[in-house]
Amino acid sequence: MRPLSTEEFDAFVDGIDYPVFVVTAASAAGRAGCLVGFATQTSISPPRLMVCLSEANHTLEVAHGAAYLAVHLLDSADHPLAEVFGGETGDEVDKFAAVAWEEGPAGVPLLTDCRRRLVGRVLLRIPLGDHVGHLLEPVSVVAEDGSGGSDVLTVRQAMDIEPGHPA
């Protein structure tokens, strides 16, 4: 058997509408953040979350030196955040100059306008094709009242954002 081509695989995943996240990092290389469409819970007990960063993304460079990452689950009102972190590249602009943020645990940038965010310690980095998976052990979470509904911003809703660079 041969591996499927991207086009063949796309026939399977077409129509799946994933939530989008902003992942932020801070390390000796600076601070960075990007829009992420690949993230999933991987364990209930102990709690674990996997976020995948594109090898083409500036944030991956910063995340390589980071012990902690912040994961922000966007809701539909957060489309402007998605535009900043998905439509610009950290190679050219300081995305944090355009948003409200504060320093979180271990210096990781937290987007204060995002109502659901998690900080996780990086347990493992796994090459996954054109992305690198970061397995996180949650150490801090904010889930403001009323943010637990199904009103998350999805990949389809963010399709109007012109990427800062190819994924």
Side-chain angles (χ1 to χ4, degrees), residues 3-59:
L4 294 179
S5 69
T6 299
E7 293 75 21
E8 290 169 316
F9 181 68
D10 284 349
F12 176 76
V13 296
D14 184 43
I16 299 174
D17 200 10
Y18 300 101
V20 293
F21 304 81
V22 170
V23 173
T24 58
S27 70
R31 68 176 176 259
C34 64
L35 192 64
V36 170
F38 300 142
T40 190
Q41 179 178 347
T42 62
S43 175
I44 297 169
S45 182
R48 297 289 185 263
L49 185 72
M50 171 84 67
V51 294
C52 301
L53 302 177
S54 169
E55 288 186 345
N57 200 304
H58 171 74
T59 301

Side-chain angles (χ1 to χ4, degrees), residues 8-157:
E8 290 169 316
F9 181 68
D10 284 349
F12 176 76
V13 296
D14 184 43
I16 299 174
D17 200 10
Y18 300 101
V20 293
F21 304 81
V22 170
V23 173
T24 58
S27 70
R31 68 176 176 259
C34 64
L35 192 64
V36 170
F38 300 142
T40 190
Q41 179 178 347
T42 62
S43 175
I44 297 169
S45 182
R48 297 289 185 263
L49 185 72
M50 171 84 67
V51 294
C52 301
L53 302 177
S54 169
E55 288 186 345
N57 200 304
H58 171 74
T59 301
L60 181 61
E61 260 180 68
V62 176
H64 273 311
Y68 295 85
L69 300 178
V71 182
H72 304 78
L73 178 58
L74 304 184
D75 65 32
S76 59
D78 293 325
H79 194 278
L81 282 174
E83 288 175 343
V84 170
F85 286 92
E88 302 288 344
T89 174
D91 295 316
E92 299 171 0
V93 300
D94 177 6
K95 298 176 189 181
F96 296 96
V99 300
W101 69 279
E102 64 188 16
E103 222 174 84
V108 68
L110 297 176
L111 306 179
T112 56
D113 289 340
C114 190
R115 297 174 0 158
R116 279 199 279 182
R117 54 191 184 265
L118 172 146
V119 175
R121 184 171 66 93
V122 178
L123 297 176
L124 185 63
R125 292 176 175 87
I126 308 166
L128 301 169
D130 59 3
H131 283 66
V132 176
H134 294 73
L135 183 63
L136 305 179
E137 172 185 52
V139 298
S140 171
V141 68
V142 169
E144 292 179 13
D145 290 343
S147 64
S150 60
D151 190 28
V152 299
L153 185 66
T154 66
V155 169
R156 284 187 198 273
Q157 294 169 322

